[in-house]
Amino acid sequence: MNNVMKAVMKNVWALIFGLLFGAGLVISGMTDTANVKGFLDITGHWRPALALVMGGAVLTALPLFRLAQRRGQVMAGQIPPARIDARLLIGAGIFGVGWGLSGVCPGPALVWLGVDPAQIAPFVIAVLVGAGLADLLAAPRAALERAATPETR
């Protein structure tokens, strides 16, 4: 298979898995912010649906992650080293606060773009701006790490 066909197939697989992911979000009700906020409301009327969806996702993904680790490669790129550091913890905290306040996760937000773009556009723009800022803040550190790492050829 030539390089062009490989690139096309990679994009076709990405589209298929993206559609499958979106369908799963819609079917499970995770595009409804009331389900997400209900899951986070542990003192009121708690909705466990999100926990069940997460559990199903973990059970589905875990064998595939193990396969990717054994191969040392994913469909696009390399598996990054597992490292829990301040950047990861701060990013996870910001993600969690945004998710809790809005009731929207970036995955369902992308599904919403196809349903009601005007309503979800501000959230998607905020996510993209946040991701861009994170990249800008990480760029100097990444350059230092590259400079400190000896090249192996």
Side-chain angles (χ1 to χ4, degrees), residues 22-115:
L25 290 172
V26 171
I27 291 167
S28 67
M30 291 303 108
T31 56
D32 181 359
T33 58
N35 283 331
V36 175
K37 289 180 179 179
F39 173 74
L40 298 172
D41 184 11
I42 56 174
T43 60
H45 183 67
W46 186 63
R47 295 183 182 189
L50 182 56
L52 298 172
V53 170
M54 284 187 208
V58 168
L59 289 175
T60 303
L62 192 59
L64 298 173
F65 278 117
R66 294 290 180 217
L67 175 65
Q69 281 180 326
R70 275 200 308 272
R71 291 178 58 212
Q73 181 177 337
V74 292
M75 286 181 75
Q78 298 294 318
I79 301 171
R83 184 175 70 211
I84 298 176
D85 58 6
R87 182 173 179 238
L88 175 67
L89 295 174
I90 292 167
I94 292 169
F95 178 90
V97 168
W99 188 24
L101 290 174
S102 68
V104 180
C105 184
L110 293 177
V111 174
W112 275 17
L113 276 176
V115 177

